[in-house]
Amino acid sequence: MTVRSFSWLALLLVVASACSSRARSTPDYSHIPPPEPRSTGEEEGPDPAEIARQQRLRAVDRAFIWKVENGEAPSYLFGTIHVGVSLDSALPAEYLTHVDEARQILVEIDPSDVDAVELQTAARMRRGTSDALYPSIVWHDLVQDLGETVTGEQLKHQRPWLAMMLLLQTRVREAQGEAPVAPMDSTLVNYARQHELNLGTLETPRDQFNALGAVPDAEMAGAVARMVTDADETRADLNQLVEAYLTGDEAVMEALIFDPEEMAQTPTLFRELFDRRNRTWMRRLKRELDQGGLFVAVGLGHYLGEHGLLAMLRAEGYPIERIQ
């Protein structure tokens, strides 16, 4: 297993991060020290817990934010990661002006709209039970991994995409330690509300449930099984993904997210959760960008790749430039 596996999860599922964490209502930049030079030697690195601790104290080397010169005022596109990096680490303080002065702020969903009962209802198996989709040893280990969240009896009546979300939450807690980072999406939404800014969403939680539900159960169960089997690697992958985000390297992040092997194993997942949603969002984005003064914050994976929002907007003639 490589760092590329499951990278799409940390960049996609606002619902997963919304169900597990509370966010600060205001970004706090006081904890971020000046950057230190990185070692280029071959010495053995710190353990995963120390990596996670150091990541929590860091700001990005280069923010994932693009400027669109269109309409009456410039618009800004901000790429988020839904786990492991706080808003104040990802968005330099001076760029909060773009949020404060935006005509409208657009996010994927409002995390406060996620209803646990609605989520469980949407994920309910309509026929059969989900335990039949896994080898017995994988099912045993999955139930053990999620034992503090859901019982095996409850889990077997839920579709594998819910197991994937719950397992992601578990792996994030394991990788990040006792002080998980507040999701930047929730922090941005709370900040907008606190400052009475104009906040809009590109979709509803139900839209995300429907996108997840469009992935065949067998395909999603295969991804869950790989995450269960490779637990240690998955935890390390999450920390390495966060590290790649913090370095701000667009090419590296695109390679991590759109790994050909992972895409071949879960083709419907990539089609439904990236490509189809991107095309749906484009209709709204073009209308808003044509007016100008927009600040968009969605998972970084939606911007990147040949079917990403940046490529589609550039193909439509929008002038886009990364600003840091």
Side-chain angles (χ1 to χ4, degrees), residues 48 75 140 155 261 270 282 291:
S75 294
H140 173 272
L155 189 63
E261 181 179 351
F270 278 86
M282 273 288 290
Q291 296 182 59

Side-chain angles (χ1 to χ4, degrees), residues 86-98:
S86 62
L87 181 64
D88 37 273
S89 295
L91 187 68
E94 61 267 27
Y95 291 161
L96 275 180
T97 301
H98 303 322

